[in-house]
Amino acid sequence: MAVTASMVKELREMTGAGMMDCKKALSATDGDFDKAIEFLREKGLATAEKKAGRIAAEGLVATTIKDGDKVAAIVEVNAETDFVAKNEVFQTFVKEVVEQAADTDAADIDAFKAEKWALDTSMTVDEKLAAMIAKIGENMNIRRFEKIVSEDGIVVSYIHAAGKIGVLVDVVTDVVNDAIEEMAKNVCMQVAALNPKYTDRSEVDQDYLAKEEEILTVAAKNEKPDANDKIITGMVKGRLNKELKEICLMDQVYVKAEDGKQSVSKYVEEVAKANNAKIAIKGFVRMETGEGIEKKEEDFAAEVAAQMAGK
């Protein structure tokens, strides 16, 4: 059958694929829209493979909270450029991914990508990703996700810099009101700003602590070779405490503390007392877009010089 301009336009609006690709798909499938969409999906997978080698270190972190603040999810979805990260189509896709993450039972990212896409069960999450790569024209990746289910409190989220950093904080509390939710939001902001590695000292690996004590002891003895064991022990304890105050959330100085000294732990205690509540910070998740991804440094001058030299 003859492929009309209106058919091409309709298929393009349905799939987001290019006009020539839509025309080819309709011609190859004799105007059958369902088969044409399948044709484009298959083409999308091929296109995704071609783009797979390109580094995707930009993108967005997104969060969602549902079921009365009891269930939360956070995801990082990457693209190659910040321009695409600001694209409404990409942002909508990221929102859809995080909503699926909140409902998933997948144990890891591979299992998550292998499950059915909730909004179209004819494809998997990975196949939907491939279709989006074809549509947007950049390599993309659903890099990671985490889900928190609170059994005895609430989960609160915070997004910084329009999706550059995302945080979830799991709060155990027997009272839920505006003041406690504000406290939880402030703790989220603390995590975003100071990037702690642990919630409290109980999470710190004992082997790590032993090794740090060993290193700090040697350093202290080199610094004060004539000092007795008591002085050396005091030096090591003080330096280790200083280090733990930087990496443990509850030990950190609360960024909004008026005196510049109050710890996060003391701030939480203060709010608990004021609201006659029992509150504990159970844990947190922090994701920063592109962290740990080695970005390719482009040296165009060297590239041109190499081409001119025939390399």
Side-chain angles (χ1 to χ4, degrees), residues 55-62 74-79 141 143-146 163-168 191-197 284-295:
I55 297 171
E58 300 297 334
L60 292 173
V61 174
I74 182 169
V75 301
E76 179 188 357
V77 182
N78 300 121
N141 183 36
R143 186 184 180 199
R144 51 183 169 163
F145 80 94
E146 288 210 35
K164 291 297 182 185
I165 298 172
V167 177
L168 295 178
V191 172
L194 296 189
N195 194 15
K197 304 303 178 189
F284 67 87
V285 180
R286 181 187 189 275
M287 291 186 184
E288 184 170 343
T289 304
E291 62 184 340
I293 299 176
E294 185 176 348
K295 298 183 181 181

Side-chain angles (χ1 to χ4, degrees), residues 222-265:
N222 287 335
E223 187 178 328
K224 294 183 178 288
D226 297 327
N228 59 39
D229 289 345
K230 185 176 180 180
I231 292 174
I232 295 297
T233 298
M235 289 172 66
V236 170
K237 184 178 180 181
R239 291 173 182 179
L240 189 59
N241 276 334
K242 183 179 179 182
E243 183 177 333
L244 291 172
K245 284 181 179 180
E246 293 175 356
I247 63 175
C248 295
L249 170 63
M250 303 308 290
D251 283 336
Q252 288 180 339
V253 174
Y254 175 46
V255 290
K256 290 186 175 182
E258 293 181 2
D259 62 0
K261 297 178 181 179
Q262 184 186 39
S263 67
V264 173
S265 177

Side-chain angles (χ1 to χ4, degrees), residues 88-272:
E88 187 177 345
V89 174
F90 178 80
Q91 292 177 352
T92 298
F93 174 62
V94 176
K95 289 177 183 176
E96 293 169 351
V97 172
V98 77
E99 290 299 328
Q100 176 134 351
D103 292 328
T104 191
D105 292 322
D108 55 43
I109 192 64
D110 290 334
F112 178 70
K113 288 181 179 180
E115 71 183 22
K116 293 293 184 183
W117 180 242
L119 297 175
D120 180 358
T121 56
S122 70
M123 66 174 83
T124 64
V125 173
D126 210 24
E127 287 170 341
K128 174 62 178 179
L129 173 64
M132 292 300 297
I133 292 170
K135 182 174 182 177
I136 289 178
E138 280 194 8
N139 189 26
M140 292 162 52
N141 183 36
I142 302 172
R143 186 184 180 199
R144 51 183 169 163
F145 80 94
E146 288 210 35
K147 178 179 176 180
I148 295 177
V149 179
S150 175
E151 298 175 354
D152 42 17
I154 57 173
V155 187
V156 178
S157 71
Y158 172 69
I159 290 291
H160 179 72
K164 291 297 182 185
I165 298 172
V167 177
L168 295 178
V169 170
D170 189 0
V171 182
V172 176
T173 177
D174 59 350
V175 176
V176 178
N177 59 26
D178 290 346
I180 289 170
E181 288 182 349
E182 181 183 1
M183 176 276 298
K185 183 72 74 175
N186 285 335
V187 173
C188 279
M189 294 172 71
Q190 174 90 19
V191 172
L194 296 189
N195 194 15
K197 304 303 178 189
Y198 308 97
T199 306
D200 56 42
R201 298 189 184 201
S202 68
E203 292 181 357
V204 183
D205 184 75
Q206 292 303 306
D207 290 339
Y208 167 81
L209 288 176
K211 187 65 178 177
E212 282 299 295
E213 284 185 12
E214 182 183 322
I215 294 169
L216 291 171
T217 298
V218 172
K221 287 181 177 179
N222 287 335
E223 187 178 328
K224 294 183 178 288
D226 297 327
N228 59 39
D229 289 345
K230 185 176 180 180
I231 292 174
I232 295 297
T233 298
M235 289 172 66
V236 170
K237 184 178 180 181
R239 291 173 182 179
L240 189 59
N241 276 334
K242 183 179 179 182
E243 183 177 333
L244 291 172
K245 284 181 179 180
E246 293 175 356
I247 63 175
C248 295
L249 170 63
M250 303 308 290
D251 283 336
Q252 288 180 339
V253 174
Y254 175 46
V255 290
K256 290 186 175 182
E258 293 181 2
D259 62 0
K261 297 178 181 179
Q262 184 186 39
S263 67
V264 173
S265 177
K266 292 297 182 184
Y267 166 61
V268 173
E269 287 177 17
E270 183 181 275
V271 174

